Amino acid sequence: MAGADGALRCPWALSTEDYVAYHDEEWGRPVHGDDALFERLSLEAFQSGLSWITILRRRPGFRKAFADFRIAKVAAFTDEDRARLLLDEGIIRNRAKIDATLANARVLADWAPGALDELIWSHAPEPGPAPKTLADVPAVTPESTALSKALKKQGLRFVGPTTAYALMQACGLVDDHLETCVARRA
């Protein structure tokens, strides 16, 4: 669909300016680095059951609350930090998701540098044909199921196959921009 500027974009990206910017500048672009991937993984987990725009608009609050998603810093959060997060109106105050984020940071803090990046990117599928419509974009794939299992096996939480696929989309492991979308990689 054409946006206000006449450029063709994925239809989901046209409902708000926040989505247009996210779609054009971030979604589907390769993301590397353990902290950057931990942020995306955490935000995708918080999104579960909610709209992405809710998370996107609260991302500055999440970054402030979770020390810019620096794994070592979040892993060191105390019970007082957890209590603070549960009261922080700048984030989603879901106890299970907060606890999962803290637990995931503690697991990841013991990993060698680059290990999260390596694990996630090892599940990138071979590029396939560009989707023509949103109906051609899956919610789960064999690769996202395998990634979910690998993350869970390592002790990570809130990383089901659907969340894993959303992570793969957001971090550029797959390019699900529609065939005619201006943001699709060549």
Side-chain angles (χ1 to χ4, degrees):
M1 296 178 67
D5 61 0
L8 296 177
R9 290 184 176 84
C10 301
W12 65 264
L14 299 174
S15 61
T16 72
E17 287 301 315
D18 293 328
Y19 268 159
V20 171
Y22 177 70
H23 170 273
D24 289 2
E25 299 165 18
E26 293 185 61
W27 192 74
R29 303 284 188 263
V31 173
H32 287 281
D34 292 344
D35 290 336
L37 290 166
F38 172 60
E39 175 183 358
R40 301 320 189 286
L41 182 64
S42 300
L43 293 178
E44 292 296 346
F46 273 100
Q47 186 272 331
S48 181
L50 302 170
S51 68
W52 180 246
I53 196 67
T54 300
I55 303 305
L56 191 58
R57 288 181 174 158
R58 291 182 184 215
R59 188 165 55 171
F62 276 108
R63 286 176 172 165
K64 181 178 178 187
F66 286 98
D68 288 322
F69 290 95
R70 301 292 183 232
I71 293 169
K73 288 185 178 184
V74 178
F77 276 18
T78 64
D79 288 342
E80 290 78 21
D81 290 309
R82 180 179 177 272
R84 171 187 53 82
L85 292 168
L86 289 168
L87 297 174
D88 191 332
E89 294 181 5
I91 66 170
I92 304 302
R93 296 171 291 171
N94 179 296
R95 182 180 313 274
K97 293 175 183 181
I98 289 170
D99 288 346
T101 302
L102 300 178
N104 289 349
R106 291 178 184 123
V107 167
L108 294 172
D110 290 334
W111 289 19
L116 178 61
D117 190 295
E118 183 178 331
L119 178 86
I120 289 173
W121 278 91
S122 73
H123 289 82
E126 291 295 320
K132 294 182 186 323
T133 70
L134 291 179
D136 298 330
V137 177
V140 174
T141 64
E143 294 85 2
S144 74
T145 300
L147 175 57
S148 170
K149 287 179 182 178
L151 292 168
K152 287 179 181 180
K153 183 178 179 181
Q154 296 297 324
L156 275 71
R157 299 169 22 194
F158 261 92
V159 290
T162 302
T163 297
Y165 193 71
L167 174 73
M168 294 170 84
Q169 291 174 304
C171 295
L173 280 74
V174 296
D175 184 356
D176 278 344
H177 287 284
L178 299 184
E179 182 177 59
T180 57
C181 179
V182 67
R184 182 149 184 94
R185 296 187 305 258

